[in-house]
Amino acid sequence: MYSNSGTNLASLSPSEIKDWINTFDTVLTDCDGVIWVDNTPLPFATDVINKFIENNKKLFFVTNNSTKTRNEFVAKSNKLGFNVGLDNIISTAYLAAQYLKAKHFDKKCYVVGTTGITRELDAVGIRHTGAGPDVLQGTLGEAVHAFQPDPEVGAVVVGFDEHFSFLKMMRAASYLNDPEVLFIGTNTDERFPMPDCVIPGTGSIVNAVTTCAEREPIVMGKPNKHICDILEEEYKVDPKRTLMIGDRCNTDILLGKNCGFQTLLVETGIHNAADIEKFAQSNDPDVRKLVPDVYTSKLGDLLPYL
Ligand SMILES: [Mg+2]
């Protein structure tokens, strides 16, 4: 039923839509721009998500946001009416902690990030240092002289950090001089556009450290396959019977393609049907990969078929 330029849900009959819904039993969904915008649920999104859960689909919220723990995501989701628990949330801070746990990491992490990361590390018993403000006092020469690397540090984890500073970059890169020290980036989202300004995203911070360290990080967030590995290992998910829903083609839809999932784009966030059309006509196969299997104006459009 899929076309090379994506299938518009509205072009399918009710029975075709129901058949399609029966082809997946796991649903992964992005949050911002799909189920809510900031603190407002999108129309009928709560009903659709709660119906998926009622209909025994395995459901996961997959977010690149590294500033909240899974518990904090559950609290926000519940407040907005989504009937989800801890097992329904996959965040990049959680993935970073799980990645280290799977490696039986027993040293300390130098964290460029917030409590979103440090609390997930605490939850798996991994020690950490570095979170919070770290600003230059006195001259740079004095700061360099005073810096004593902690010999216990065996990994650098970089996420969103509103206290990111020159000293943090210096410390992170210094630890990363040792090739044995692991380098983990939570995600590489460039920025959050706001009406009157641009808020630098985690990718800006990760890239600053990458440049200075002259090393590439292992990136946890969409569109990288780590999420898929965790889902297959920890939750026994079958990629072919999994649907990834998103509003952004180069993270959400690409994650789906990278993992062999089915994909659905909703037009309540970043990308829309006109973008898909452009991607579909590209000569570059990497760009054509951004075309979702199915697209629709909003997640709520699925409600009549659930
Ligand atoms: Mg989004």
Side-chain angles (χ1 to χ4, degrees), residues 157-174:
V157 179
V158 182
F160 185 79
D161 186 352
E162 70 268 43
H163 296 297
F164 185 56
S165 66
F166 191 89
L167 287 186
K168 289 191 178 199
M169 188 164 40
M170 179 187 87
R171 296 188 211 286
S174 302

Side-chain angles (χ1 to χ4, degrees), residues 67-304:
T67 61
K68 282 192 173 72
T69 63
R70 287 191 306 154
N71 276 310
E72 289 161 339
F73 270 109
V74 170
K76 172 177 178 174
S77 304
N78 292 163
K79 200 172 141 205
L80 298 182
F82 298 94
N83 297 331
V84 295
L86 213 52
D87 270 348
N88 300 109
I89 314 286
I90 295 185
S91 70
T92 50
Y94 167 71
L95 286 171
Q98 290 299 312
Y99 179 84
L100 290 169
K101 187 182 135 195
K103 283 198 159 326
H104 306 290
F105 180 82
D106 60 359
K107 298 191 83 179
K108 203 188 272 185
C109 281
Y110 178 70
V111 175
V112 177
T114 65
T115 51
I117 293 171
T118 58
R119 286 179 187 153
E120 292 290 1
L121 291 174
D122 290 338
V124 293
I126 292 174
R127 296 164 298 147
H128 51 81
T129 176
D134 183 5
V135 294
L136 190 63
Q137 278 154 0
T139 66
L140 180 59
E142 283 161 359
V144 170
H145 187 70
F147 175 47
Q148 291 192 327
D150 182 338
E152 281 284 281
V153 168
V156 172
V157 179
V158 182
F160 185 79
D161 186 352
E162 70 268 43
H163 296 297
F164 185 56
S165 66
F166 191 89
L167 287 186
K168 289 191 178 199
M169 188 164 40
M170 179 187 87
R171 296 188 211 286
S174 302
Y175 286 122
L176 290 169
N177 251 346
D178 177 351
E180 296 290 306
V181 170
L182 298 169
F183 182 16
I184 296 171
T186 57
N187 59 295
T188 51
D189 297 50
E190 296 86 358
R191 60 188 201 159
F192 310 102
M194 304 293 278
D196 298 315
C197 73
V198 168
I199 298 182
T202 307
S204 312
I205 299 172
V206 171
N207 275 328
V209 176
T210 300
T211 303
C212 179
E214 298 186 331
R215 277 179 62 178
E216 292 292 325
I218 302 152
V219 178
M220 296 292 124
K222 296 173 283 188
N224 297 282
K225 265 191 99 258
H226 286 291
I227 294 170
C228 187
D229 298 339
I230 296 241
L231 283 171
E232 285 185 46
E233 278 159 37
E234 300 259 320
Y235 299 93
K236 311 293 171 224
V237 160
D238 176 0
K240 285 192 290 301
R241 294 194 53 84
T242 298
L243 176 72
M244 174 71 207
I245 308 172
D247 69 303
R248 191 173 177 135
C249 294
N250 58 347
T251 52
D252 305 324
I253 301 305
L254 191 55
L255 170 76
K257 296 294 175 82
N258 287 343
C259 296
F261 303 150
Q262 303 186 54
T263 51
L264 168 68
L265 182 90
V266 293
E267 298 176 282
T268 40
I270 306 279
H271 289 127
N272 58 33
D275 297 310
I276 297 173
E277 191 66 44
K278 252 189 301 171
F279 299 148
Q281 283 166 7
S282 171
N283 292 324
D284 183 344
D286 284 343
V287 174
R288 288 203 303 275
K289 244 176 124 178
L290 303 179
V291 176
D293 298 321
V294 181
Y295 63 92
T296 192
S297 62
K298 61 177 188 301
L299 186 63
D301 297 339
L302 294 181
L303 188 57

Side-chain angles (χ1 to χ4, degrees), residues 30-34 247-248 252:
D30 174 51
C31 298
D32 215 53
V34 176
D247 69 303
R248 191 173 177 135
D252 305 324

